Amino acid sequence: MLLRYEVKMTVEGVMVSYNYSDDAEHANILTVSASGIKFSKRWVLTHGSILSPLKQANVIKNARGKPILNDEFYDNLPEIYVTCEKVKSKTPNMYENLEILSRERSLNNDADLEHSSYQVRVLTGRICHVWQCPVLDRCVDNILYSWTIGHRDGDVEKQTQLGKALLSVFVLVDLETDNRDFKILRPLSELLDMCQPPPDRGATVDIHSTPFGCEVFLNAVTRGSVCGVVGKRPSLLLTDAATALGSEGGPVFTAGPDNHLVGAVVCSVSWWRGEWVGLTLAAPLKSVLAAKLRVQQPLPARTPPSPLYVRILELVDRSTVLVRCGAAWGAGLYLGGGHVLTCAHVVKHHASHKVSVYCDNVKETAAVRYKTKDDLAYDLALLYVSPAHWRHLLPAVFAEESAQKGESVLAAGFPYFNETNLEELKPTVTSGHVNNVSPSLIQTTCCVQSGFSGGPIFRITKELKVEVLGTIVSNAKTETGASYPYINMAVPTKAFIRLVQHFILERDENVLSQIENKKDMIQSQWRLLPYRSKI
């Protein structure tokens, strides 16, 4: 898909590849690929992960952000192939018409051979510049230091070190000349003019990429929400738009009629604390290019988001809190009067570790009023904090109608946070739908990771009210340790809310013990879920 702008420049998603062999006799030649952004007809920007098999990747790793300018480095890089959609000529000439006729007569069927999916063109170029973005590199050091980048195969430690070193690296390809004397700042400046500031949390974005280096998937489009924005400028975007290996370098656009270019994918597969993250990491190109060109960018004057979205996120933010107990943490739901609902496994070690609740630049110690016994449904806990410190929060509103299979929902939690910067502490919000429901369990497709335990599943009603349908407890996990964030389970609100509300009004702690449902069918349902893992 070609996206045209008023400045009469074009931006196009492409596949970037090269042939590689790790032996001198070239007996085993592999094709290495990534996605990329073709702009101004001549240039392609892609991600540094495409260099990972090459010896030069270690040069980049050891450079530690210093510019790589020596000719020897670039002379030994392979020739680059750029695969893109073939654009029909506005005025086809005789030669093109003969080519079309030749293709049509070679097949005796009704296939539309002129469809864009059958028409690709392959261009050749050379890598003319490689650099590391300091804005993104600081984000890797400060936030992603404990993450694993890519598939956890082979030497995970070595793979992670190289993956993190290349995460903030960008590659510029020239499709017209091998002459590296060309001023590379000019095309980067042109690309900067094409970019727009990234959208706010909750906005919808489209990613164009070619996963697995397969032409069949050329410029595949996936859509999702911006789940989190890191930094004020910012330095990283988190989105639940689904991507796969090979999507790195693909352009990120705002969804809608204008399709403004806002970012590039830098990581499609990552792990944290042994669990698949399930979110795509994208770099805001405005920040990346401004840092490269040393252009002082003012804080982005963003298009005001929809007042409706702002109000919904505000309601989510003012009822969802972070709960921490020792090294474990999760989310909690504010019920009013200083009461917070969370998961029992989040505060499992409350007897030996302090329980803290965080929200909107406030941190307070909490007391555990009730906790379900370990490994029993429904894995819930009720906390109490002094209500005087939480007057800025809003008590959650619980749904009267049960969840319906297929309905759209939101999930909120705290998979990533910086304890030294509580002013910007906001829950990550992901979207999905209910794909299974029973009186004792809700299964959703929202992206859920560690830090979502105890967080709410929200419904937005026709009257635009934000209601809580359930409390997130677990997701699916295989025997090898891989977690699946898009397969997760929650306890329906109706299974416990009357008991909790009765306790808040009457202070009768005996009523809370009834939350531990003694019915064998319900206990079996939670125990026998395949590969259940608590988060």
Side-chain angles (χ1 to χ4, degrees):
M1 178 184 293
L2 284 178
L3 302 174
R4 300 187 179 276
Y5 293 82
E6 293 181 1
V7 290
K8 297 182 180 179
M9 298 179 181
T10 58
V11 176
E12 180 183 2
V14 296
M15 182 177 77
V16 183
S17 62
Y18 62 85
N19 295 327
Y20 163 77
S21 177
D22 58 2
D23 62 80
E25 297 180 358
H26 302 288
N28 185 21
I29 298 178
L30 304 176
T31 298
V32 182
S33 67
S35 299
I37 305 169
K38 181 174 176 285
F39 63 98
S40 299
K41 297 182 179 179
R42 173 176 179 175
W43 306 97
V44 174
L45 181 71
T46 187
H47 184 248
S49 58
I50 195 172
L51 304 176
S52 57
L54 303 176
K55 295 178 180 179
Q56 287 86 342
N58 289 318
V59 175
I60 300 170
K61 176 183 173 183
N62 297 330
R64 298 183 179 277
K66 295 180 181 179
I68 302 173
L69 303 175
N70 64 81
D71 290 334
E72 182 181 357
F73 173 86
Y74 292 96
D75 290 342
N76 292 323
L77 290 173
E79 186 177 39
I80 299 297
Y81 303 99
V82 175
T83 305
C84 45
E85 296 178 21
K86 189 172 183 179
V87 182
K88 290 184 179 180
S89 300
K90 293 183 179 179
T91 55
N93 57 37
M94 178 176 64
Y95 297 94
E96 291 174 333
N97 287 329
L98 288 171
E99 179 186 348
I100 293 172
L101 180 60
S102 175
R103 285 198 303 268
E104 288 178 343
R105 71 181 186 179
S106 65
L107 289 176
N108 185 22
N109 56 35
D110 296 327
D112 179 12
L113 297 179
E114 297 309 305
H115 192 275
S116 61
S117 61
Y118 299 117
Q119 301 294 305
V120 299
R121 53 185 176 142
V122 180
L123 310 174
T124 58
R126 302 289 299 189
I127 294 175
C128 63
H129 191 61
V130 177
W131 85 96
Q132 189 172 42
C133 173
V135 174
L136 194 54
D137 192 47
R138 285 194 295 270
C139 182
V140 173
D141 290 340
N142 296 334
I143 298 177
L144 307 181
Y145 58 88
S146 60
W147 287 36
T148 299
I149 304 301
H151 279 300
R152 300 191 303 171
D153 297 329
D155 189 337
V156 175
E157 183 63 27
K158 182 178 179 181
Q159 171 188 300
T160 297
Q161 291 177 0
L162 183 59
K164 288 179 182 176
L166 296 178
L167 190 73
S168 56
V169 173
F170 293 87
V171 176
L172 184 66
V173 177
D174 188 349
L175 298 176
E176 291 189 3
T177 180
D178 293 341
N179 185 5
R180 288 192 56 251
D181 293 334
F182 189 90
K183 303 298 183 183
I184 54 92
L185 296 184
R186 186 185 304 171
L188 295 181
S189 180
E190 291 179 3
L191 185 59
L192 176 63
D193 291 338
M194 300 180 198
C195 298
Q196 295 293 322
D200 289 314
R201 187 172 60 115
T204 304
V205 292
D206 289 341
I207 294 177
H208 296 201
S209 66
T210 308
F212 312 117
C214 180
E215 288 184 4
V216 175
F217 303 137
L218 183 64
N219 266 347
V221 179
T222 57
R223 175 169 292 183
S225 300
V226 176
C227 305
V229 179
V230 179
K232 292 183 178 180
R233 295 247 168 227
S235 56
L236 192 68
L237 303 177
L238 309 176
T239 171
D240 58 8
T243 56
L245 287 177
S247 296
E248 286 76 10
V252 181
F253 300 98
T254 55
D258 296 327
N259 290 109
H260 294 300
L261 177 65
V262 294
V265 176
V266 295
C267 184
S268 61
V269 179
S270 56
W271 302 75
W272 187 52
R273 298 174 67 188
E275 297 184 7
W276 175 36
V277 171
L279 294 177
T280 296
L281 310 185
L285 283 177
K286 201 81 172 175
S287 301
V288 170
L289 296 171
K292 172 62 181 176
L293 300 169
R294 298 184 179 179
V295 176
Q296 186 64 37
Q297 288 285 312
L299 289 176
R302 300 174 183 170
T303 303
S306 163
L308 170 62
Y309 295 165
V310 171
R311 187 181 71 84
I312 290 173
L313 283 178
E314 182 181 356
L315 293 174
V316 172
D317 294 344
R318 293 181 67 183
S319 60
T320 309
V321 300
L322 172 70
V323 178
R324 186 165 187 176
C325 178
W329 74 84
L333 188 66
Y334 189 67
L335 306 180
H339 294 92
V340 174
L341 182 73
T342 187
C343 276
H345 69 263
V346 173
V347 294
K348 181 176 181 178
H349 302 292
H350 70 95
S352 56
H353 293 82
K354 181 175 69 173
V355 177
S356 300
V357 174
Y358 305 71
C359 185
D360 201 12
N361 206 26
V362 176
K363 173 185 176 183
E364 289 294 329
T365 300
V368 178
R369 287 290 175 83
Y370 164 79
K371 184 182 83 67
T372 307
K373 293 179 182 178
D374 294 345
D375 299 319
L376 285 180
Y378 287 108
D379 194 4
L380 297 175
L382 185 65
L383 314 180
Y384 180 78
V385 292
S386 173
H389 300 289
W390 305 97
R391 290 172 180 161
H392 57 291
L393 296 185
L394 294 175
V397 177
F398 292 90
E400 292 291 337
E401 298 294 328
S402 301
Q404 300 297 316
K405 186 182 293 189
E407 73 168 296
S408 297
V409 290
L410 300 174
F414 296 89
Y416 332 105
F417 72 98
N418 185 348
E419 195 171 2
T420 62
N421 187 13
L422 297 180
E423 291 183 7
E424 298 183 8
L425 180 65
K426 295 185 184 298
T428 294
V429 179
T430 62
S431 60
H433 65 270
V434 176
N435 55 5
N436 216 340
V437 64
S438 75
S440 55
L441 185 144
I442 299 174
Q443 184 183 343
T444 84
T445 63
C446 297
C447 184
V448 165
Q449 306 116 15
S450 292
F452 272 79
S453 291
I457 296 292
F458 288 108
R459 161 196 283 159
I460 303 173
T461 68
K462 293 180 180 179
E463 295 78 22
L464 301 180
K465 296 179 181 179
V466 180
E467 299 178 342
V468 179
L469 285 172
T471 298
I472 301 164
V473 173
S474 63
N475 60 13
K477 188 174 183 179
T478 68
E479 291 177 319
T480 59
S483 290
Y484 292 89
Y486 293 98
I487 305 175
N488 49 79
M489 285 69 72
V491 183
T493 292
K494 286 193 171 185
F496 61 84
I497 192 58
R498 300 300 181 199
L499 299 172
V500 172
Q501 290 173 337
H502 179 80
F503 166 78
I504 293 175
L505 292 175
E506 304 295 335
R507 295 292 190 271
D508 182 4
E509 295 189 6
N510 292 325
V511 75
L512 293 177
S513 61
Q514 299 178 39
I515 293 178
E516 292 180 10
N517 197 299
K518 300 297 192 298
K519 295 181 179 179
D520 291 339
M521 180 179 295
I522 293 175
Q523 292 295 336
S524 296
Q525 183 185 39
W526 281 92
R527 287 175 180 168
L528 299 180
L529 280 174
Y531 313 125
R532 178 188 179 215
S533 81
K534 289 187 175 180
I535 53 169

